[in-house]
Amino acid sequence: MSHILNRGGLDRLSLIGMSWGGSVTAAYTAAHGETVAKLALIAPQWLTEGPVRIDAGGTLGAYRRIDVQAFRQRWLDAAPADRRDGLIPAGWFDSWAETTLATDPGAGAPGTIRAPSGAVLDVREYWTAGRPIYDPGAIRSPVLLTHAEWDADVTIDRIQALFLRLTGAPYRRWVEIGEGTHMVVLEKNRWQVIDAIVAFLKETRALID
């Protein structure tokens, strides 16, 4: 972050984080809020009880092996059975899968990629252990939370719990997107997320006062 600020000659910039990336950007903002103008989070992780879908159990190595087609089914399983057709725009999954698989040609088994296990370790050691990685109340920048109703990985009660703890933010907003899953940014209603973030980043404080 310091490198980006120095290279751009900037005092502050805005951050956008999704899921595990929301943990990273929120933790940074809580610790270095003076350099963050605004923070936009898409389905960020928060404390939860019991197992979560990302954790298949067992001993963790450095990487998990992910079957891309099995991931597609897991993705769609979060939505009601009668609403899955058309959730992902035609051709989008194939394009995403091709691009993603190309990033890891050494994965070994065809149709798989290696995913770092750090996110799962965080779930085990922090999010399901009652140990937040950061204090939301320490965030002093304006915050936008976006979330989709069918998100089975970060449920709506977890978003609400996080929102209520953002007590140090000058202002905060929670936008709930209908008919979307944890992967809403690649679904038919993606523009609702994008538009909400763009509007949040463009607005001035005068519009809120």
Side-chain angles (χ1 to χ4, degrees):
M1 184 73 162
S2 296
H3 173 75
I4 297 172
L5 293 170
N6 291 335
R7 178 141 188 189
L10 303 171
D11 295 322
R12 298 188 304 166
L13 51 73
S14 295
L15 298 179
I16 302 173
M18 175 178 170
S19 192
W20 182 81
S23 300
V24 176
T25 51
Y28 179 89
T29 304
H32 306 283
E34 69 281 359
T35 66
V36 180
K38 293 182 179 180
L39 175 65
L41 301 174
I42 307 166
Q45 295 173 306
W46 187 244
L47 300 178
T48 186
E49 295 182 3
V52 296
R53 298 202 316 162
I54 193 176
D55 189 356
T59 302
L60 288 176
Y63 295 92
R64 300 166 288 136
R65 192 173 300 279
I66 306 296
D67 182 285
V68 170
Q69 291 301 321
F71 174 77
R72 179 180 184 276
Q73 188 58 52
R74 176 178 171 273
W75 175 350
L76 290 174
D77 282 346
D82 63 344
R83 310 303 288 275
R84 293 170 188 167
D85 289 345
L87 180 66
I88 306 173
W92 276 54
F93 181 82
D94 291 338
S95 179
W96 174 85
E98 180 180 357
T99 302
T100 301
L101 289 169
T103 66
D104 193 13
T112 67
I113 60 169
R114 291 169 294 182
S117 295
V120 179
L121 189 63
D122 282 352
V123 166
R124 293 183 181 184
E125 295 188 348
Y126 294 94
W127 300 124
T128 60
R131 300 173 57 210
I133 290 177
Y134 63 93
D135 174 13
I139 293 176
R140 298 289 185 264
S141 307
V143 181
L144 170 69
L145 300 182
T146 58
H147 181 262
E149 68 169 320
W150 297 332
D151 192 333
D153 296 285
V154 178
T155 54
I156 194 169
D157 58 309
R158 291 163 68 185
I159 289 294
Q160 181 183 41
L162 174 57
F163 181 81
L164 294 175
R165 287 166 173 77
L166 292 167
T167 54
Y171 60 93
R172 51 187 166 153
R173 184 175 307 147
W174 171 11
V175 175
E176 188 69 15
I177 309 299
E179 298 190 10
T181 75
H182 193 64
M183 298 293 290
V184 65
V185 292
L186 291 177
E187 297 172 355
K188 65 176 184 177
N189 287 331
R190 63 197 178 278
W191 284 110
Q192 294 186 45
V193 180
I194 296 169
D195 286 347
I197 292 175
V198 170
F200 171 69
L201 296 179
K202 283 185 174 181
E203 70 192 12
T204 65
R205 180 63 193 270
L207 296 176
I208 302 302
D209 290 338

PDB file of all heavy atoms in Angstrom, residues 85-121:
ATOM      1  N   ASP A  85     -31.177 -21.512 -13.565  1.00  0.00           N
ATOM      2  CA  ASP A  85     -31.025 -21.256 -15.004  1.00  0.00           C
ATOM      3  C   ASP A  85     -30.991 -19.753 -15.241  1.00  0.00           C
ATOM      4  O   ASP A  85     -31.877 -19.018 -14.798  1.00  0.00           O
ATOM      5  CB  ASP A  85     -32.173 -21.878 -15.788  1.00  0.00           C
ATOM      6  CG  ASP A  85     -32.106 -23.397 -15.824  1.00  0.00           C
ATOM      7  OD1 ASP A  85     -31.037 -23.943 -15.502  1.00  0.00           O
ATOM      8  OD2 ASP A  85     -33.132 -24.033 -16.155  1.00  0.00           O
ATOM      9  N   GLY A  86     -29.990 -19.296 -15.915  1.00  0.00           N
ATOM     10  CA  GLY A  86     -29.882 -17.884 -16.225  1.00  0.00           C
ATOM     11  C   GLY A  86     -29.189 -17.060 -15.158  1.00  0.00           C
ATOM     12  O   GLY A  86     -28.962 -15.857 -15.351  1.00  0.00           O
ATOM     13  N   LEU A  87     -28.865 -17.668 -14.022  1.00  0.00           N
ATOM     14  CA  LEU A  87     -28.183 -16.915 -12.967  1.00  0.00           C
ATOM     15  C   LEU A  87     -26.819 -16.436 -13.453  1.00  0.00           C
ATOM     16  O   LEU A  87     -26.432 -15.285 -13.224  1.00  0.00           O
ATOM     17  CB  LEU A  87     -28.025 -17.785 -11.719  1.00  0.00           C
ATOM     18  CG  LEU A  87     -27.334 -17.127 -10.522  1.00  0.00           C
ATOM     19  CD1 LEU A  87     -28.191 -15.986  -9.975  1.00  0.00           C
ATOM     20  CD2 LEU A  87     -27.061 -18.150  -9.422  1.00  0.00           C
ATOM     21  N   ILE A  88     -26.082 -17.331 -14.107  1.00  0.00           N
ATOM     22  CA  ILE A  88     -24.785 -16.981 -14.698  1.00  0.00           C
ATOM     23  C   ILE A  88     -25.025 -16.678 -16.169  1.00  0.00           C
ATOM     24  O   ILE A  88     -25.555 -17.527 -16.892  1.00  0.00           O
ATOM     25  CB  ILE A  88     -23.785 -18.133 -14.557  1.00  0.00           C
ATOM     26  CG1 ILE A  88     -23.655 -18.580 -13.086  1.00  0.00           C
ATOM     27  CG2 ILE A  88     -22.416 -17.727 -15.103  1.00  0.00           C
ATOM     28  CD1 ILE A  88     -22.814 -19.827 -12.901  1.00  0.00           C
ATOM     29  N   PRO A  89     -24.685 -15.504 -16.661  1.00  0.00           N
ATOM     30  CA  PRO A  89     -24.903 -15.178 -18.077  1.00  0.00           C
ATOM     31  C   PRO A  89     -24.260 -16.213 -18.996  1.00  0.00           C
ATOM     32  O   PRO A  89     -23.208 -16.788 -18.678  1.00  0.00           O
ATOM     33  CB  PRO A  89     -24.244 -13.804 -18.239  1.00  0.00           C
ATOM     34  CG  PRO A  89     -24.288 -13.209 -16.866  1.00  0.00           C
ATOM     35  CD  PRO A  89     -24.101 -14.374 -15.923  1.00  0.00           C
ATOM     36  N   ALA A  90     -24.879 -16.454 -20.123  1.00  0.00           N
ATOM     37  CA  ALA A  90     -24.408 -17.468 -21.071  1.00  0.00           C
ATOM     38  C   ALA A  90     -22.951 -17.212 -21.447  1.00  0.00           C
ATOM     39  O   ALA A  90     -22.574 -16.098 -21.815  1.00  0.00           O
ATOM     40  CB  ALA A  90     -25.286 -17.455 -22.314  1.00  0.00           C
ATOM     41  N   GLY A  91     -22.151 -18.256 -21.348  1.00  0.00           N
ATOM     42  CA  GLY A  91     -20.750 -18.185 -21.742  1.00  0.00           C
ATOM     43  C   GLY A  91     -19.812 -17.664 -20.682  1.00  0.00           C
ATOM     44  O   GLY A  91     -18.591 -17.810 -20.812  1.00  0.00           O
ATOM     45  N   TRP A  92     -20.368 -17.072 -19.623  1.00  0.00           N
ATOM     46  CA  TRP A  92     -19.509 -16.465 -18.617  1.00  0.00           C
ATOM     47  C   TRP A  92     -18.714 -17.497 -17.836  1.00  0.00           C
ATOM     48  O   TRP A  92     -17.539 -17.297 -17.571  1.00  0.00           O
ATOM     49  CB  TRP A  92     -20.346 -15.595 -17.666  1.00  0.00           C
ATOM     50  CG  TRP A  92     -20.575 -14.227 -18.194  1.00  0.00           C
ATOM     51  CD1 TRP A  92     -21.113 -13.913 -19.423  1.00  0.00           C
ATOM     52  CD2 TRP A  92     -20.262 -12.995 -17.564  1.00  0.00           C
ATOM     53  NE1 TRP A  92     -21.164 -12.557 -19.576  1.00  0.00           N
ATOM     54  CE2 TRP A  92     -20.656 -11.959 -18.454  1.00  0.00           C
ATOM     55  CE3 TRP A  92     -19.716 -12.649 -16.340  1.00  0.00           C
ATOM     56  CZ2 TRP A  92     -20.496 -10.615 -18.151  1.00  0.00           C
ATOM     57  CZ3 TRP A  92     -19.562 -11.303 -16.031  1.00  0.00           C
ATOM     58  CH2 TRP A  92     -19.944 -10.309 -16.927  1.00  0.00           C
ATOM     59  N   PHE A  93     -19.372 -18.583 -17.433  1.00  0.00           N
ATOM     60  CA  PHE A  93     -18.637 -19.567 -16.642  1.00  0.00           C
ATOM     61  C   PHE A  93     -17.511 -20.177 -17.463  1.00  0.00           C
ATOM     62  O   PHE A  93     -16.396 -20.348 -16.964  1.00  0.00           O
ATOM     63  CB  PHE A  93     -19.544 -20.671 -16.111  1.00  0.00           C
ATOM     64  CG  PHE A  93     -18.786 -21.675 -15.281  1.00  0.00           C
ATOM     65  CD1 PHE A  93     -18.505 -21.423 -13.950  1.00  0.00           C
ATOM     66  CD2 PHE A  93     -18.297 -22.849 -15.849  1.00  0.00           C
ATOM     67  CE1 PHE A  93     -17.764 -22.316 -13.184  1.00  0.00           C
ATOM     68  CE2 PHE A  93     -17.560 -23.749 -15.096  1.00  0.00           C
ATOM     69  CZ  PHE A  93     -17.300 -23.489 -13.760  1.00  0.00           C
ATOM     70  N   ASP A  94     -17.790 -20.536 -18.714  1.00  0.00           N
ATOM     71  CA  ASP A  94     -16.762 -21.140 -19.554  1.00  0.00           C
ATOM     72  C   ASP A  94     -15.579 -20.198 -19.726  1.00  0.00           C
ATOM     73  O   ASP A  94     -14.417 -20.620 -19.685  1.00  0.00           O
ATOM     74  CB  ASP A  94     -17.343 -21.505 -20.922  1.00  0.00           C
ATOM     75  CG  ASP A  94     -18.342 -22.648 -20.837  1.00  0.00           C
ATOM     76  OD1 ASP A  94     -18.282 -23.416 -19.854  1.00  0.00           O
ATOM     77  OD2 ASP A  94     -19.189 -22.764 -21.746  1.00  0.00           O
ATOM     78  N   SER A  95     -15.868 -18.920 -19.916  1.00  0.00           N
ATOM     79  CA  SER A  95     -14.787 -17.938 -20.057  1.00  0.00           C
ATOM     80  C   SER A  95     -13.999 -17.816 -18.764  1.00  0.00           C
ATOM     81  O   SER A  95     -12.752 -17.780 -18.784  1.00  0.00           O
ATOM     82  CB  SER A  95     -15.385 -16.579 -20.447  1.00  0.00           C
ATOM     83  OG  SER A  95     -14.374 -15.601 -20.560  1.00  0.00           O
ATOM     84  N   TRP A  96     -14.709 -17.770 -17.630  1.00  0.00           N
ATOM     85  CA  TRP A  96     -14.040 -17.690 -16.333  1.00  0.00           C
ATOM     86  C   TRP A  96     -13.187 -18.931 -16.089  1.00  0.00           C
ATOM     87  O   TRP A  96     -12.044 -18.829 -15.643  1.00  0.00           O
ATOM     88  CB  TRP A  96     -15.075 -17.546 -15.222  1.00  0.00           C
ATOM     89  CG  TRP A  96     -14.491 -17.610 -13.852  1.00  0.00           C
ATOM     90  CD1 TRP A  96     -13.941 -16.597 -13.132  1.00  0.00           C
ATOM     91  CD2 TRP A  96     -14.366 -18.780 -13.023  1.00  0.00           C
ATOM     92  NE1 TRP A  96     -13.487 -17.046 -11.913  1.00  0.00           N
ATOM     93  CE2 TRP A  96     -13.738 -18.382 -11.818  1.00  0.00           C
ATOM     94  CE3 TRP A  96     -14.734 -20.112 -13.185  1.00  0.00           C
ATOM     95  CZ2 TRP A  96     -13.465 -19.277 -10.788  1.00  0.00           C
ATOM     96  CZ3 TRP A  96     -14.470 -21.016 -12.164  1.00  0.00           C
ATOM     97  CH2 TRP A  96     -13.837 -20.592 -10.974  1.00  0.00           C
ATOM     98  N   ALA A  97     -13.748 -20.115 -16.386  1.00  0.00           N
ATOM     99  CA  ALA A  97     -13.026 -21.366 -16.153  1.00  0.00           C
ATOM    100  C   ALA A  97     -11.764 -21.436 -17.006  1.00  0.00           C
ATOM    101  O   ALA A  97     -10.691 -21.812 -16.522  1.00  0.00           O
ATOM    102  CB  ALA A  97     -13.931 -22.550 -16.451  1.00  0.00           C
ATOM    103  N   GLU A  98     -11.878 -21.062 -18.278  1.00  0.00           N
ATOM    104  CA  GLU A  98     -10.719 -21.103 -19.177  1.00  0.00           C
ATOM    105  C   GLU A  98      -9.615 -20.167 -18.672  1.00  0.00           C
ATOM    106  O   GLU A  98      -8.442 -20.543 -18.633  1.00  0.00           O
ATOM    107  CB  GLU A  98     -11.152 -20.694 -20.586  1.00  0.00           C
ATOM    108  CG  GLU A  98     -10.012 -20.706 -21.600  1.00  0.00           C
ATOM    109  CD  GLU A  98     -10.469 -20.290 -22.990  1.00  0.00           C
ATOM    110  OE1 GLU A  98     -11.683 -20.043 -23.184  1.00  0.00           O
ATOM    111  OE2 GLU A  98      -9.610 -20.193 -23.884  1.00  0.00           O
ATOM    112  N   THR A  99     -10.005 -18.977 -18.283  1.00  0.00           N
ATOM    113  CA  THR A  99      -9.030 -17.997 -17.799  1.00  0.00           C
ATOM    114  C   THR A  99      -8.395 -18.453 -16.493  1.00  0.00           C
ATOM    115  O   THR A  99      -7.174 -18.341 -16.303  1.00  0.00           O
ATOM    116  CB  THR A  99      -9.708 -16.630 -17.600  1.00  0.00           C
ATOM    117  OG1 THR A  99     -10.278 -16.205 -18.842  1.00  0.00           O
ATOM    118  CG2 THR A  99      -8.703 -15.594 -17.114  1.00  0.00           C
ATOM    119  N   THR A 100      -9.218 -18.984 -15.603  1.00  0.00           N
ATOM    120  CA  THR A 100      -8.714 -19.421 -14.297  1.00  0.00           C
ATOM    121  C   THR A 100      -7.780 -20.614 -14.429  1.00  0.00           C
ATOM    122  O   THR A 100      -6.712 -20.658 -13.808  1.00  0.00           O
ATOM    123  CB  THR A 100      -9.898 -19.777 -13.375  1.00  0.00           C
ATOM    124  OG1 THR A 100     -10.735 -18.624 -13.231  1.00  0.00           O
ATOM    125  CG2 THR A 100      -9.410 -20.217 -12.008  1.00  0.00           C
ATOM    126  N   LEU A 101      -8.163 -21.595 -15.233  1.00  0.00           N
ATOM    127  CA  LEU A 101      -7.318 -22.778 -15.420  1.00  0.00           C
ATOM    128  C   LEU A 101      -5.972 -22.406 -16.042  1.00  0.00           C
ATOM    129  O   LEU A 101      -4.950 -23.033 -15.738  1.00  0.00           O
ATOM    130  CB  LEU A 101      -8.042 -23.808 -16.288  1.00  0.00           C
ATOM    131  CG  LEU A 101      -9.221 -24.517 -15.618  1.00  0.00           C
ATOM    132  CD1 LEU A 101     -10.025 -25.307 -16.654  1.00  0.00           C
ATOM    133  CD2 LEU A 101      -8.737 -25.457 -14.511  1.00  0.00           C
ATOM    134  N   ALA A 102      -5.968 -21.395 -16.890  1.00  0.00           N
ATOM    135  CA  ALA A 102      -4.724 -20.980 -17.543  1.00  0.00           C
ATOM    136  C   ALA A 102      -3.729 -20.386 -16.562  1.00  0.00           C
ATOM    137  O   ALA A 102      -2.528 -20.326 -16.853  1.00  0.00           O
ATOM    138  CB  ALA A 102      -5.031 -19.973 -18.651  1.00  0.00           C
ATOM    139  N   THR A 103      -4.205 -19.964 -15.388  1.00  0.00           N
ATOM    140  CA  THR A 103      -3.291 -19.385 -14.402  1.00  0.00           C
ATOM    141  C   THR A 103      -2.481 -20.446 -13.667  1.00  0.00           C
ATOM    142  O   THR A 103      -1.517 -20.109 -12.972  1.00  0.00           O
ATOM    143  CB  THR A 103      -4.067 -18.557 -13.359  1.00  0.00           C
ATOM    144  OG1 THR A 103      -4.906 -19.423 -12.574  1.00  0.00           O
ATOM    145  CG2 THR A 103      -4.921 -17.493 -14.033  1.00  0.00           C
ATOM    146  N   ASP A 104      -2.879 -21.718 -13.795  1.00  0.00           N
ATOM    147  CA  ASP A 104      -2.190 -22.773 -13.046  1.00  0.00           C
ATOM    148  C   ASP A 104      -1.974 -24.005 -13.921  1.00  0.00           C
ATOM    149  O   ASP A 104      -2.536 -25.072 -13.674  1.00  0.00           O
ATOM    150  CB  ASP A 104      -3.008 -23.145 -11.801  1.00  0.00           C
ATOM    151  CG  ASP A 104      -2.211 -24.009 -10.819  1.00  0.00           C
ATOM    152  OD1 ASP A 104      -0.977 -24.113 -10.988  1.00  0.00           O
ATOM    153  OD2 ASP A 104      -2.822 -24.573  -9.898  1.00  0.00           O
ATOM    154  N   PRO A 105      -1.155 -23.877 -14.959  1.00  0.00           N
ATOM    155  CA  PRO A 105      -0.940 -25.013 -15.872  1.00  0.00           C
ATOM    156  C   PRO A 105      -0.264 -26.199 -15.197  1.00  0.00           C
ATOM    157  O   PRO A 105      -0.311 -27.312 -15.708  1.00  0.00           O
ATOM    158  CB  PRO A 105      -0.064 -24.411 -16.978  1.00  0.00           C
ATOM    159  CG  PRO A 105       0.631 -23.252 -16.325  1.00  0.00           C
ATOM    160  CD  PRO A 105      -0.365 -22.700 -15.357  1.00  0.00           C
ATOM    161  N   GLY A 106       0.358 -25.977 -14.052  1.00  0.00           N
ATOM    162  CA  GLY A 106       1.051 -27.069 -13.366  1.00  0.00           C
ATOM    163  C   GLY A 106       0.221 -27.731 -12.296  1.00  0.00           C
ATOM    164  O   GLY A 106       0.765 -28.444 -11.437  1.00  0.00           O
ATOM    165  N   ALA A 107      -1.089 -27.535 -12.321  1.00  0.00           N
ATOM    166  CA  ALA A 107      -1.950 -28.087 -11.266  1.00  0.00           C
ATOM    167  C   ALA A 107      -1.941 -29.606 -11.227  1.00  0.00           C
ATOM    168  O   ALA A 107      -2.174 -30.213 -10.181  1.00  0.00           O
ATOM    169  CB  ALA A 107      -3.378 -27.580 -11.439  1.00  0.00           C
ATOM    170  N   GLY A 108      -1.676 -30.227 -12.367  1.00  0.00           N
ATOM    171  CA  GLY A 108      -1.643 -31.698 -12.390  1.00  0.00           C
ATOM    172  C   GLY A 108      -2.876 -32.266 -13.035  1.00  0.00           C
ATOM    173  O   GLY A 108      -2.914 -32.493 -14.240  1.00  0.00           O
ATOM    174  N   ALA A 109      -3.916 -32.529 -12.274  1.00  0.00           N
ATOM    175  CA  ALA A 109      -5.133 -33.130 -12.798  1.00  0.00           C
ATOM    176  C   ALA A 109      -5.846 -32.156 -13.726  1.00  0.00           C
ATOM    177  O   ALA A 109      -6.000 -30.973 -13.395  1.00  0.00           O
ATOM    178  CB  ALA A 109      -6.057 -33.537 -11.652  1.00  0.00           C
ATOM    179  N   PRO A 110      -6.292 -32.616 -14.887  1.00  0.00           N
ATOM    180  CA  PRO A 110      -7.007 -31.741 -15.816  1.00  0.00           C
ATOM    181  C   PRO A 110      -8.254 -31.139 -15.167  1.00  0.00           C
ATOM    182  O   PRO A 110      -8.938 -31.792 -14.385  1.00  0.00           O
ATOM    183  CB  PRO A 110      -7.382 -32.681 -16.962  1.00  0.00           C
ATOM    184  CG  PRO A 110      -6.414 -33.815 -16.870  1.00  0.00           C
ATOM    185  CD  PRO A 110      -6.138 -33.982 -15.407  1.00  0.00           C
ATOM    186  N   GLY A 111      -8.524 -29.889 -15.498  1.00  0.00           N
ATOM    187  CA  GLY A 111      -9.736 -29.256 -15.001  1.00  0.00           C
ATOM    188  C   GLY A 111      -9.665 -28.811 -13.557  1.00  0.00           C
ATOM    189  O   GLY A 111     -10.699 -28.491 -12.960  1.00  0.00           O
ATOM    190  N   THR A 112      -8.460 -28.770 -12.992  1.00  0.00           N
ATOM    191  CA  THR A 112      -8.315 -28.355 -11.595  1.00  0.00           C
ATOM    192  C   THR A 112      -7.309 -27.212 -11.476  1.00  0.00           C
ATOM    193  O   THR A 112      -6.455 -27.021 -12.342  1.00  0.00           O
ATOM    194  CB  THR A 112      -7.844 -29.514 -10.700  1.00  0.00           C
ATOM    195  OG1 THR A 112      -6.497 -29.884 -11.063  1.00  0.00           O
ATOM    196  CG2 THR A 112      -8.758 -30.712 -10.826  1.00  0.00           C
ATOM    197  N   ILE A 113      -7.432 -26.489 -10.391  1.00  0.00           N
ATOM    198  CA  ILE A 113      -6.450 -25.479 -10.041  1.00  0.00           C
ATOM    199  C   ILE A 113      -6.060 -25.680  -8.576  1.00  0.00           C
ATOM    200  O   ILE A 113      -6.784 -26.339  -7.818  1.00  0.00           O
ATOM    201  CB  ILE A 113      -6.976 -24.043 -10.236  1.00  0.00           C
ATOM    202  CG1 ILE A 113      -8.222 -23.814  -9.360  1.00  0.00           C
ATOM    203  CG2 ILE A 113      -7.258 -23.759 -11.694  1.00  0.00           C
ATOM    204  CD1 ILE A 113      -8.652 -22.375  -9.290  1.00  0.00           C
ATOM    205  N   ARG A 114      -4.938 -25.103  -8.204  1.00  0.00           N
ATOM    206  CA  ARG A 114      -4.528 -25.105  -6.804  1.00  0.00           C
ATOM    207  C   ARG A 114      -4.898 -23.771  -6.177  1.00  0.00           C
ATOM    208  O   ARG A 114      -4.606 -22.722  -6.736  1.00  0.00           O
ATOM    209  CB  ARG A 114      -3.019 -25.339  -6.698  1.00  0.00           C
ATOM    210  CG  ARG A 114      -2.585 -26.742  -7.089  1.00  0.00           C
ATOM    211  CD  ARG A 114      -1.073 -26.825  -7.228  1.00  0.00           C
ATOM    212  NE  ARG A 114      -0.601 -26.006  -8.348  1.00  0.00           N
ATOM    213  CZ  ARG A 114       0.673 -25.924  -8.722  1.00  0.00           C
ATOM    214  NH1 ARG A 114       1.596 -26.598  -8.066  1.00  0.00           N
ATOM    215  NH2 ARG A 114       1.017 -25.165  -9.752  1.00  0.00           N
ATOM    216  N   ALA A 115      -5.570 -23.842  -5.035  1.00  0.00           N
ATOM    217  CA  ALA A 115      -5.959 -22.628  -4.310  1.00  0.00           C
ATOM    218  C   ALA A 115      -5.219 -22.611  -2.981  1.00  0.00           C
ATOM    219  O   ALA A 115      -5.208 -23.613  -2.254  1.00  0.00           O
ATOM    220  CB  ALA A 115      -7.469 -22.612  -4.066  1.00  0.00           C
ATOM    221  N   PRO A 116      -4.589 -21.498  -2.622  1.00  0.00           N
ATOM    222  CA  PRO A 116      -3.892 -21.418  -1.343  1.00  0.00           C
ATOM    223  C   PRO A 116      -4.836 -21.708  -0.182  1.00  0.00           C
ATOM    224  O   PRO A 116      -6.005 -21.321  -0.199  1.00  0.00           O
ATOM    225  CB  PRO A 116      -3.386 -19.971  -1.303  1.00  0.00           C
ATOM    226  CG  PRO A 116      -3.310 -19.553  -2.739  1.00  0.00           C
ATOM    227  CD  PRO A 116      -4.452 -20.255  -3.410  1.00  0.00           C
ATOM    228  N   SER A 117      -4.330 -22.382   0.825  1.00  0.00           N
ATOM    229  CA  SER A 117      -5.156 -22.800   1.965  1.00  0.00           C
ATOM    230  C   SER A 117      -5.265 -21.740   3.056  1.00  0.00           C
ATOM    231  O   SER A 117      -5.924 -21.964   4.068  1.00  0.00           O
ATOM    232  CB  SER A 117      -4.588 -24.089   2.574  1.00  0.00           C
ATOM    233  OG  SER A 117      -4.684 -25.158   1.662  1.00  0.00           O
ATOM    234  N   GLY A 118      -4.625 -20.597   2.850  1.00  0.00           N
ATOM    235  CA  GLY A 118      -4.627 -19.568   3.884  1.00  0.00           C
ATOM    236  C   GLY A 118      -6.011 -19.108   4.288  1.00  0.00           C
ATOM    237  O   GLY A 118      -6.284 -18.862   5.470  1.00  0.00           O
ATOM    238  N   ALA A 119      -6.925 -18.987   3.301  1.00  0.00           N
ATOM    239  CA  ALA A 119      -8.281 -18.540   3.615  1.00  0.00           C
ATOM    240  C   ALA A 119      -8.991 -19.529   4.529  1.00  0.00           C
ATOM    241  O   ALA A 119      -9.727 -19.142   5.446  1.00  0.00           O
ATOM    242  CB  ALA A 119      -9.076 -18.333   2.332  1.00  0.00           C
ATOM    243  N   VAL A 120      -8.781 -20.822   4.292  1.00  0.00           N
ATOM    244  CA  VAL A 120      -9.400 -21.846   5.130  1.00  0.00           C
ATOM    245  C   VAL A 120      -8.785 -21.833   6.528  1.00  0.00           C
ATOM    246  O   VAL A 120      -9.487 -21.983   7.534  1.00  0.00           O
ATOM    247  CB  VAL A 120      -9.253 -23.241   4.493  1.00  0.00           C
ATOM    248  CG1 VAL A 120      -9.869 -24.315   5.388  1.00  0.00           C
ATOM    249  CG2 VAL A 120      -9.914 -23.267   3.119  1.00  0.00           C
ATOM    250  N   LEU A 121      -7.477 -21.644   6.596  1.00  0.00           N
ATOM    251  CA  LEU A 121      -6.817 -21.569   7.900  1.00  0.00           C
ATOM    252  C   LEU A 121      -7.355 -20.380   8.699  1.00  0.00           C
ATOM    253  O   LEU A 121      -7.562 -20.481   9.920  1.00  0.00           O
ATOM    254  CB  LEU A 121      -5.304 -21.457   7.719  1.00  0.00           C
ATOM    255  CG  LEU A 121      -4.466 -21.576   8.997  1.00  0.00           C
ATOM    256  CD1 LEU A 121      -4.648 -22.948   9.621  1.00  0.00           C
ATOM    257  CD2 LEU A 121      -2.995 -21.324   8.696  1.00  0.00           C
TER     258      LEU A 121
END
